[in-house]
Amino acid sequence: MDFLDLPPLLGARGTLRLPGSKSISNRSLLLAALAEGETVIRDLLDSDDVDRMLEALAALGVECAREADGTCRVRGVAGPFPVKQADLFLGNAGTAFRPLTAALALSGGEYRLSGVARMHERPIGDLVDGLLEIGADIEYLGNEGYPPLAIHPGQAAGALVRVRGDVSSQFLTALLMALPLSGRETVIEVVGELISRPYVAITLDLMARFGVEVAREGWRRFTIPAGARYMSPGELFVEGDASSASYFLAAGAMGGGPVRVEGVGRHSIQGDVRFAEALAQLGACIDMGDNWIEASAPEGGRLKAFDLDLNHIPDAAMTLAVAALFADGPCRLRNIASWRVKETDRLAAMAIELRKVGATVEEGADYLYIVPPARLRPAAIDTYDDHRMAMCFSLVTLGDCRVRINDPKCVNKTFPEYFRVFASIAQPVPVIAIDGPSASGKGTVAARVAAELGWHYLDSGALYRLVALAAIGEDVSFDDETEVEALARELPVRFEHARILLGDEDVTDRIREEDCSIGASRVAVLPSVRAALFDRQRDFRRAPGLVAEGRDMGSVVFVDAAYKFFLTASVEARAQRRHKQLMDKGIAATLHDLRNDLQSRDERDAARVVAPLRQLADAVLVETTSMTVEEAVSFVLENVRARQAREVG
Ligand SMILES: Nc1ncnc2c1ncn2[C@@H]1O[C@H](COP(=O)(O)OP(=O)(O)OP(=O)(O)O)[C@@H](O)[C@H]1O
Ligand SMILES: Nc1ccn([C@H]2C[C@H](O)[C@@H](COP(=O)(O)O)O2)c(=O)n1
């Protein structure tokens, strides 16, 4: 399984340009295709769902020319599609599948529409029923009520059509966009309460831009006038995606901010801009311009607990489920039953994954009740082939908590560049990685640098020494990888101030003895032991920062460390330092033996296949043979501070 590890963050701030709205992109493409004249669509979203729509339109005889800058020129066919036979694969793109079903039912041809397995689990029966009512001929090729579909030439002709509004507003959208093809006056009556109304508002707004004005009586009855024909508006700009904006606005509210998104603003036609209002209700500071929105943390720092009906912003509401983890009390998200028929059953998926990071969650038929944990827990998040799950859970990192996002490429559905853009506003908890050979002084220097900065300190070598000690205690051979790995996974270790406890035993000095030194370098060559200690080491990364020392801090465990050093000294100097260190502790050793032992450990550490000791190209060399401890500490601190100053400047 492909995955992406995201580090814990100190905060978020910055400005970004949003990708185009998926809803507007796919609606615009279809309307431009059915219209008379050429439409130049600017800032079209570049994503999987839009690709599916473009492929379908090409197969149906519509010329669409896409340019690198996000412009797409569509030569409209001025009515039903000219190609009368086609087999269309629409992936998991609901915004392509539903409207095309309706438009093809009125195009008088033989068509087959299919998608990925999940698309075949998403209901379409209510739309098909509406189309059958007006004379369309549609056949289910799999399960009744679900894709795939075969559409045959029918007599679809308008008049009166009824459609349910309480499962997906896309059914109504599909009928609205397709029915002008009949040329007759058609009335659509919504049965049941219409959900996600803002999405229908987008449809009506875009239809009007293409010259078709729909008369609306509340949200129950819509009349398409006789003789309605789509006419190209010439040029059309796609707004930034308001649902995608929600992750960044939430990041600003949860991570200090300000975070500004460009591409949507107070005149947006997308309902999800109202996510900003919801955030404001949680106490976030929101500012809005014509084409931007900005969010910062509440005055008191913490978001307020909430109980909200979120029917009007079903997609952006998912972001609030993660925001609930940052609230000052339990939160309720109500009226979100539509989540169950989206890319996955989002109610179930969200509940499962929120629990993984420590929340207590009650999952109702149409609500979630979320009790935030006192402290978030690192977890590997499953994303269910749902782009929004992946994007939402990236925000957990703002709780000083690392997360692993499984199958991160699912964001390609709507926002292929998401993680790159997220990284551009993220402020990771900084790491100073100090690697080097034995007895070079890296432990002494790292501990002092950490104390000076008030950061956390990781002595990664101690973990390998502890594994060696556990192996000695359990009489396990250092070469028995399976047994040693099991010990490494279960290691009952606690770091308490300057003391190290294994179980209840204080082993701070014991692990420095020679048998543990040699054992540590032997167990450290075992790949599964290194893997077993990987997350344990990464858990030391906490605000305000971490100084980590060892052999592979900069190369493997904290590859993204902001500051990397390679601290070394001649083997002679190191042997003398170790000799003095042992003498001071009253431990007998000869300089000759220590020198040999250091050399063989260095060779083993440098020669092993996994995570060998080496100086990285991006690590600053600290050659300490003729430096005092104080000089080495000052060198590291000055280097870090100089770079911090450059970054701020
Ligand atoms: N620049 C230095 N000059 C002189 N002595 C030093 C210097 N740096 C460290 N020392 C001393 O060398 C000894 C070994 O240092 P330390 O234990 O920090 O090394 P290390 O690289 O962490 O070793 P190991 O990898 O075995 O854990 C300590 O007693 C320390 O005080
Ligand atoms: N990141 C690390 C840290 C240590 N080791 C190995 C190599 C050493 O021989 C042994 C003990 O380390 P020390 O306490 O001397 O720093 O553990 C490693 O492979 N990777």
Side-chain angles (χ1 to χ4, degrees), residues 228-300:
R229 285 168 59 83
Y230 289 124
M231 301 295 295
S232 167
E235 187 178 37
L236 190 141
F237 284 85
V238 175
E239 289 181 10
D241 193 290
S243 313
S244 298
S246 70
Y247 313 111
F248 301 102
L249 296 176
M254 283 147 35
V259 174
R260 177 179 288 210
V261 294
E262 293 177 346
V264 287
R266 63 167 72 94
H267 302 305
S268 170
I269 61 169
Q270 297 169 78
D272 271 2
V273 283
R274 294 190 61 197
F275 174 80
E277 287 170 25
L279 266 189
Q281 283 178 273
L282 273 57
C285 304
I286 302 291
D287 206 357
M288 215 182 266
D290 287 350
N291 198 32
W292 57 267
I293 310 176
E294 192 172 278
S296 310
E299 301 266 297

